[in-house]
């Protein structure tokens, strides 16, 4: 069995350092095309590149989160929607004392 994929999307932050010992324990090589083969824990350069990929992933996740929140806020304003939490009190049913359930 062999595991592979895009390391900059597969591992976030220090997840590689936390999960790679499990791959070693179960004898599953982690194949990374960017380094031309499986990760070798004895090679320091492999550890460094995987740490770099984790940092890239963390930054990418932060950018995506910011874009999604901005898009949701813009959509809520343009389509007159409520994004979450308690609905605004001007909906009427809260002022009448009844719940919709």
């Amino acid at each position: 069995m062999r595991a592979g994929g895009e390391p900059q999307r597969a591992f976030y932050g220090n997840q590689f350092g936390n999960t790679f010992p499990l791959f070693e324990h179960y004898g599953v090589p982690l194949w990374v095309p960017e380094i031309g083969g499986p990760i070798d824990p004895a090679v320091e350069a492999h550890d460094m590149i995987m740490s770099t990929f984790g940092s890239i992933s963390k930054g990418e996740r932060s950018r995506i989160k910011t874009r999604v929140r901005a898009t949701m806020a813009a959509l809520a304003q343009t389509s007159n929607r409520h994004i979450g939490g308690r609905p605004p009190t001007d909906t009427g049913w809260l002022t009448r004392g009844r719940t919709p359930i």
Side-chain angles (χ1 to χ4, degrees):
M1 180 178 183
R2 180 173 69 181
E6 286 186 64
Q8 59 267 46
R9 296 188 190 279
F11 299 106
Y12 170 80
N14 65 349
Q15 285 178 339
F16 171 74
N18 294 335
T19 57
F20 191 70
L22 289 172
F23 286 125
E24 285 184 296
H25 175 75
Y26 290 106
V28 178
L30 180 61
W31 186 271
V32 179
E34 286 80 1
I35 65 165
I39 293 287
D40 183 3
V43 178
E44 188 174 334
H46 289 188
D47 188 46
M48 288 174 54
I49 194 72
M50 293 307 289
S51 295
T52 303
F53 284 144
S55 298
I56 291 169
S57 175
K58 192 173 183 178
E60 185 176 334
R61 184 176 181 273
S62 296
R63 285 189 300 277
I64 289 170
K65 186 168 49 170
T66 302
R67 282 197 319 254
V68 167
R69 286 186 177 164
T71 302
M72 286 178 62
L75 183 63
Q77 286 180 347
T78 59
S79 63
N80 199 20
R81 292 186 183 183
H82 180 63
I83 292 184
R86 188 178 180 130
T89 55
D90 62 347
T91 58
W93 62 267
L94 283 177
T95 57
R96 289 191 290 268
R98 297 182 59 199
T99 62
I101 300 174

